[in-house]
Amino acid sequence: MSNNADLFKKIIAHCKEYGFVFPSSEIYDGLSATYDYGQNGSGLKNNIKDFWWKAMVQLHENIVGIDAAIFMHPTTWKASGHLDAFNDPLIDNKDSKKRYRADVLVEEYLEKIRAKVDKEVGKAAKRFGDSFDEQVFRSTNQRVLDNEQKITAISERLRKDLENNDLDDLKAMIEEIGIADPVSGSKNWTEVRQFNLMFDTELGSVAEDASKIYLRPETAQGIFVNYLNVQKTGRMKIPFGIAQTGKAFRNEIVARQFIFRMREFEQMEMQYFVKPGEELKWYEYWKEARMKWHKALGFPAEKFRFHDHLKLAHYANAACDIEFDFPMGFKELEGIHSRTDFDLGKHEEYSGKKLQYFDPEDNTSYVPYVVETSIGLDRMFLAVISQSYTEEKLDDGNERVVLKIPPFLAPVKIAIFPLLKKDGLPEKSREIMDLLKMDHHCLYEEKDTIGKRYRRMDAIGTPYCITVDHQTLEDQTVTIRERDSMEQERVKIDQLAAIVHEKVSINKVLQKL
Ligand code: GAP
């Protein structure tokens, strides 16, 4: 597990310097927890989205895609439970005027105790050397035992407070354990109150006509309300899925860690409609299928893990996360949830429309159960960038930063360099670019030395650089240089398309699924 604040800072700086991610409206000092994707970031993001879409929709005959509106009828959110229960417990510090999530303050406090325990264990391991038995130490050292007991008691009290919506006790606990404002050190707290995470706005241009609507906090509801439209018009037979990518909005109280938790983000969700009683079989299927998708990227297997939810939301009968080892440690990347018939059932109740499926196999009608896969595109982007960021010492003593992005996801696939800006080399380079640009995103670069041009392409993860020199004009060959090995090879121009295709094609990755 990594927890590397320096590395994270470097990745954020790299994203900005090389046109991947900028703070939103930066000329006005930015807007908190909102980011813009630059020329390379938008390319990488689109390629990740394409990979998801192809894996889900193109490879499954029984999954179709839709693109629903962000604005939805406000009753949607009453039915889904978001109006009443999509809340986080909020607390303000009266001195610093800073706002926090009360449960996160407690979680962070627990994290500090855990770190203390780990430090204690680490110190003992050093002291005792080879004879150290961690298990024995943890079960006998009084300081470790006291701290473990504290962790269990606080975690249990937090769980109960959240479950029973006991905000008074949550506040009492924060005071009892002496949590101070991380910024000011003050312990002068307000009451804890629930804060709904949905952004609202008004529909209609005349104030009197206006009705309150919401920016969707998840894309899933656009799928649920279209269940019948798609099932009927697509003549879909259960089991079948509806997939969608799109923006979602949450007024997160504490939004931080770069693009990990934002107020405007993008989701890629799929709802799989199944026969009641078969949902757990499909839940297991989608758990495995989604893990396979992640591992197809070729990242080390130990970077991913499942985290089963012990406490289930009221509408779920099974749920887990796929976690990724980000620079700040293992965190949720994707959720897989067996949501029963909760959503369709509620929409039936609130709309008065039947949302049932007639099963011709046994002549029964039922509200389908749903297994959902839900991944944040921005989080996936962060996973890819963090895993790809590599600092390398070269044989000649120099260093390079290279983004070892899986080639099929790289924003630019090929860079084409004329060795010199004269002697017909730029013209020949353009000719080659015209040949390749129909299939791949290419970039033409003629400034600076070839070495500097290589470094710039390494920094944005371009898998291939092609150099055109005087020999090219004589024998129609070029030098092609591969990003990771930095190996160079002289090849015929008419071989280029095949060489590049072999490396950057998405097909080979899709075949692994
Ligand atoms: N429809 C189910 C749903 O929305 P969720 O666990 O709340 O479930 C699913 O969100 C995924 O959306 C998460 O696993 C995460 O990748 C992404 N996500 C959620 N909130 C986010 C935020 N504030 N910023 C970025 N991504 C977020």
Side-chain angles (χ1 to χ4, degrees), residues 99-141:
R99 179 161 284 183
Y100 298 95
R101 257 178 71 171
D103 56 332
V104 171
L105 283 180
V106 178
E107 293 283 3
E108 284 175 353
Y109 178 81
L110 289 172
E111 220 29 69
K112 277 189 198 146
I113 309 181
R114 284 192 195 105
K116 239 192 221 170
V117 170
D118 289 346
K119 205 168 160 193
E120 192 96 42
V121 173
K123 267 189 347 208
K126 253 196 198 148
R127 208 167 49 240
F128 294 111
D130 286 347
S131 63
F132 182 65
D133 184 330
E134 183 173 333
Q135 217 178 350
V136 171
F137 181 79
R138 280 185 185 268
S139 58
T140 53
N141 180 281

Side-chain angles (χ1 to χ4, degrees), residues 82 86 217-221 224 248-250 252 255 259-269 271 309 315 321-322 332-335 337 339 372-380:
H82 284 84
F86 196 51
E218 61 170 11
T219 58
Q221 297 303 324
F224 288 126
F249 304 82
R250 296 182 188 177
E252 302 278 1
I259 54 173
F260 182 81
R261 193 178 302 286
M262 298 195 286
R263 299 206 166 96
E264 174 181 341
F265 57 99
E266 202 158 339
Q267 288 186 316
M268 306 190 286
E269 297 200 296
Q271 322 297 131
H309 292 197
Y315 53 78
D321 298 331
I322 293 177
E332 174 186 344
L333 173 60
E334 170 158 10
H337 314 122
R339 289 178 77 132
E372 152 185 272
T373 72
S374 173
I375 175 168
L377 176 52
D378 312 86
R379 279 195 197 174
M380 191 61 208

Side-chain angles (χ1 to χ4, degrees), residues 223-236 240 242 273 344 348 353-358 366 368:
I223 292 179
F224 288 126
V225 299
N226 277 299
Y227 154 73
L228 208 55
N229 282 338
V230 174
Q231 192 272 320
K232 292 238 178 297
T233 56
R235 297 187 297 141
M236 308 301 291
F240 74 91
I242 304 179
F273 299 90
L344 287 183
E348 263 204 334
K353 308 269 167 27
K354 270 204 172 322
L355 297 177
Q356 304 217 340
Y357 176 76
F358 174 72
Y366 51 79

Side-chain angles (χ1 to χ4, degrees), residues 33 37 126 136 187 246 261 317 368 382 421 426 494:
Y37 287 85
K126 253 196 198 148
V136 171
K187 294 181 183 170
R261 193 178 302 286
N317 62 4
L382 184 57
K421 270 192 271 181
D494 58 16

